[in-house]
Amino acid sequence: MNKAQEKVLVAALCGLIITSAAAFAVQPAMAAGYQVDTLGQVTGVAEWDRLNVRKWPASYSQKVGSFAPGLHVWVERCIEVENSSDWCLVERGQTKGWVNSRFLVPVEDWDI
């Protein structure tokens, strides 16, 4: 193995270690979640604004979509984040991701 191949191998291993550590860091938050499995409604968002849907439960995470105020969404589960906002995994149509739980209210009377 020459020096160039050795450097590539070391870089790849470092990347793998960093990725594994990041995945492990996210796991405890995911494990702290609780199932909801109910319909929710987007609330607390101005009529002219939209609620951002994120890839991961964090405000700095990549935006994967948005929902209009008053829209009904399926709430799969939520997680409690210590010293921060709680987040819920929601889905509507092709859009699935995490939203801040303060912008959701449960829908009491609904029919499937």
Side-chain angles (χ1 to χ4, degrees):
M1 179 179 295
N2 64 33
K3 286 285 186 188
Q5 290 173 325
E6 191 175 305
K7 286 180 182 181
V8 170
L9 180 61
V10 169
L13 289 173
C14 288
L16 182 61
I17 291 169
I18 290 169
T19 303
S20 298
F24 181 73
V26 171
Q27 286 297 79
M30 297 296 196
Y34 52 93
Q35 291 298 116
V36 178
D37 289 329
T38 192
L39 196 63
Q41 184 174 19
V42 175
T43 187
V45 178
E47 279 297 314
W48 50 265
D49 204 359
R50 297 183 65 83
L51 176 62
N52 289 331
V53 181
R54 304 286 181 178
K55 186 174 184 174
W56 298 104
S59 60
Y60 55 82
S61 178
Q62 177 185 355
K63 180 180 165 185
V64 295
S66 65
F67 295 134
L71 193 72
H72 288 93
V73 297
W74 184 256
V75 183
E76 185 177 315
R77 65 188 174 110
C78 297
I79 62 169
E80 299 175 24
V81 181
E82 192 173 323
N83 299 324
S84 184
S85 300
D86 292 352
W87 290 81
C88 294
L89 180 61
V90 298
E91 183 175 8
R92 167 118 182 176
Q94 298 298 314
T95 304
K96 182 175 183 175
W98 295 89
V99 299
N100 190 309
S101 65
R102 73 176 178 203
F103 295 107
L104 294 174
V105 293
V107 175
E108 298 299 324
D109 297 322
W110 58 277
D111 294 322
I112 295 179

